[in-house]
Structures are given as structure tokens and as C-alpha cells.
Amino acid sequence: MAIGQTFLGLLEAKPRHGYDLKRAYDERFGADRPLHYGQVYATLSRLLKNGLVEVDGVEPGEGPERKRYAITEAGITDVAGWLATPEKPEPYLQNTLYAKVVLALLTGRSAAEVLDTQRAEHLRFMRDLTHRKTHGDLADQLICDFALFHLEADLRWLELTAARLDQLRAEVTP
Amino acid sequence: MTTPLLTATALHKRYGETDALAGADLTVTAGEVLAIMGPSGSGKSTLLHCIAGIVTPDSGRIEYDGVDMTAMSDSRRSALRRTEFGFVFQFGQLVPELTCLENVALPLRMNGVARKAAEQRAADWLAKLEVSDVARKRPGQVSGGQGQRVAVARALVAEPRLLFADEPTGALDSLNGEAVMRHLTSAAAELGTAVVLVTHEARVAAYSHREIVVRDGRTRTVVAAAS
């Protein structure tokens, strides 16, 4: 997740204090991994240094002063550029699972078991996501569906690889 | 540990030269959703048809509620299917000449419930599945997603203890498939009905509590790491 650009997008919607920004981020994007305050302020200070945000106002309070941050013109251009650039599709050509399957075959272990164990783990995670989706709002549904479709693609690979194990064994073992 | 509702042991079934089942085992516990997964031709539908009493295995034992199904007479097995089991298939298999309401009322009528009472309960089920508006339409006049929800209502209207669903979302797009699975699992949970779900789609299987995989006519149970 590009925290910097996500912050910029949230700030383009409206200026916010660091705490509000963290809360908005966690609410919308950080259900599984809420941000640490350290990350929030490190990111803000980088954005500030690069001229992408500015301090819009300071409110005195009981604790440290509360700075309100606003996006700059350069920040808006940055968000626009980020949104217009597609994410690189990751081909995962040499992934760990592939390595595990090959190594299982090379060492005379059960590659089918490696695949089945992984498949069960994938399905367990998919069940959790489905449960969360069923009990969540539309945002939850969309976020979970994104993960579910990707996990499903992995599972199809696991299934196909299981069907090709004999062929693969013949190729990798002398 | 809950008592098993249905237990199948060492099922074999051969079609011509092909072993559709070559020693399949399975247990269904009351109220659970069990997914049977596996590639095309692995034997998962044959397994479902055997445990649902539609096909008789060549050998092996199937106990439902402690009674051996393979030893039952055809009429006893039909009665069991009618009173204890519900079915949903890939293509709703609704009766085209009847309205959706009459389709849902059908299992109750076959069990001797009077028309008015049967249609009232059928109407309640259509409402529960959010398809009241198709009550007076015939299956040919409704969308695939609506038809499948009607099929789920028909499968559950008689409050079976066990629902068999064979690729229930196979002919639907993702959005309609989701809606059918959500309705099917929540309605079954409300009734305490166990569901045996055959699917090759992992997203559909993710609505289950656990899964078994069928490969080359044999079942494999894989337990995931603890969450």
C-alpha cells in the first residue's frame, strides 16, 4: 500500500490533523494493519519536505500542538499521476510455492501434500474473508472480494499443478 | 463432538471401464456446511449422487441417521429423499409448467400439505429469499439468479435435515452466485439444515465450514493450520 499517496488522496478530499489522517486511513484501508503513529508522522514529514503537503494551521492543545495538513498543487499533481499509472501486474514466476513443490519432488517427499496443505490454508483464509464480507458493509465486501479473487487464482494454480505432478516429477528428477 | 448425520464408507462405483468412485469416505455432521471439491471428472458429483440416494454404489456403506441406505428398498429411499433431503442443482430444474410459487409449494404438496397452507409457506420462503415478485411467473420468465433462489426456496421449504447442492452457482455470474450462496447458507443455518455442496469454485467453497477433496474417485481430507 502506498501510504504517502493514500495520505495525499485523503488530504485532497479535505485538510486533516495527523491523528484524523491515521483514523481515516485505518478505517478505510487498514483493517488488518493499522498504521503506527511513527509511520504517520514520518510519512507526513517526507510529504512536507517534498512540498506535497503544507501546514494549514496549528491549534494549541493540552498536549503537543496539533498541526493541520493540507495538500499542495504539487501534491494534487502527484495523486493524479499515481491514480493514472497502472500497478505492475506481478507474474510471481519463481514463487516460493513453486520452489517448495520442486524441492519436495527432488527430495522424494510428497509434493501433493505440500499442495494440499497450502490449498487448505488458502481456503481457511478465504473462509475468514467470506465471513467478514457476509457481515460487513459494501466497502468490506469490495476489499474482501479483491483478496478472494486473487486467492482463488492461486487455488486454480494449486489444482492444475496437482494434476501435473507426474509430468513435473519426470522433468525434475533424473 | 456432534454425532454424524450421514457416514459413507469405502464407496465404489464403476461406469463401464471407469472407476467413478474408488474407495470414497465422507461424514456429514448435523447443521454443518461441507464442500466437496475436485477437478472435473474426479467423482465428486457421483459421490453426491450416491450419498443422496439417487445412485446406488457398487459397494460400500452409507448410513443416514444410523440406518444403512444401501439396504433400503427403492420406495423407502424415495420417501427419505422426499422428507429428509432437499436438492439444488446447477440448473434449477424447476417444473416449467408451474409458477415459481407452485414450484416451491410442490415438496409440501407431495408430503400431503393442503394447497392453501403449502402456498402460504411457499410465499414466506420466496419472501425470505427476496424473490416474492416472481411468485406468479413461470421459470422461463425469470432470470437465472432468481430461478436459483426459487430452487433454494423449494429445496428448503419442507425443512429438510440435509440439503444437497450440486454446483448451485455454476450457471450464474459472480454477483448472483454470491447472493444465492448467502441466502442458501443463512437459511440452512436458521433451520439447522446440513448442506453438502459440490463445487469446483473456491469462492463458493469458502461458504462452507470444511471441505473434502475428491481426486480419482478417492476422498482426501486436509486440515488447515489452526487460525
Side-chain angles (χ1 to χ4, degrees), chain B residues 24-140:
Chain B
D25 304 307
L26 162 152
T27 301
V28 187
T29 308
E32 77 166 335
V33 181
L34 170 71
I36 301 179
M37 301 192 70
S40 300
S42 59
K44 56 188 191 299
S45 285
T46 304
L47 176 59
L48 181 111
H49 291 159
C50 283
I51 61 173
I54 298 170
V55 165
T56 309
D58 298 333
S59 64
R61 189 179 167 88
I62 304 165
E63 270 192 20
Y64 176 74
D65 218 6
V67 182
D68 183 4
M69 273 171 67
T70 52
M72 281 179 192
S73 66
D74 283 350
S75 62
R76 174 79 188 88
R77 221 173 17 240
S78 302
L80 185 75
R81 282 202 304 266
R82 210 172 53 240
T83 55
E84 299 277 310
F85 298 168
F87 295 90
V88 180
F89 299 99
Q90 181 169 356
F91 300 99
Q93 299 192 342
L94 299 168
V95 183
E97 292 81 10
L98 300 180
T99 64
C100 289
L101 184 78
E102 289 164 342
N103 262 287
V104 178
L106 198 57
L108 296 173
R109 298 283 292 134
M110 288 172 75
N111 286 343
V113 178
R115 176 182 295 273
K116 203 173 166 190
E119 292 195 348
Q120 182 54 55
R121 271 166 69 186
D124 293 345
W125 270 94
L126 288 175
K128 196 192 286 261
L129 292 175
E130 298 172 3
V131 277
S132 294
D133 48 333
V134 303
R136 301 287 159 202
K137 292 184 178 167
R138 291 184 203 287

Side-chain angles (χ1 to χ4, degrees), chain B residues 179-197:
Chain B
V180 163
M181 283 314 297
R182 247 200 328 267
H183 279 109
L184 189 154
T185 47
S186 71
E190 227 173 88
L191 293 175
T193 298
V195 180
V196 178
L197 170 70

Side-chain angles (χ1 to χ4, degrees), chain A residues 11 15-18 44 48 53-56 67-71:
Chain A
L11 289 174
R16 295 168 194 266
H17 297 102
L44 279 172
L48 205 55
V53 299
E54 60 193 7
V55 175
D56 184 45
K67 288 181 187 160
R68 195 172 61 223
Y69 297 89
I71 193 165

Side-chain angles (χ1 to χ4, degrees), chain A residues 113-174:
Chain A
E113 216 159 280
V114 170
L115 292 169
D116 275 350
T117 306
Q118 188 59 47
R119 157 199 189 89
E121 185 60 15
H122 263 62
L123 259 170
R124 187 185 64 76
F125 190 35
M126 288 181 78
R127 267 191 201 103
D128 290 348
L129 288 166
T130 302
H131 185 262
R132 180 172 147 193
K133 185 173 87 167
T134 312
H135 296 87
D137 57 14
L138 184 60
D140 272 327
Q141 288 173 27
L142 293 174
I143 290 165
C144 291
D145 275 335
F146 185 83
L148 282 164
F149 278 111
H150 280 78
L151 290 166
E152 188 181 39
D154 288 353
L155 268 171
R156 288 168 74 171
W157 179 84
L158 292 169
E159 197 63 62
L160 188 66
T161 306
R164 286 173 165 171
L165 276 182
D166 289 342
Q167 205 184 336
L168 185 61
R169 183 180 294 110
E171 283 197 15
V172 300
T173 52

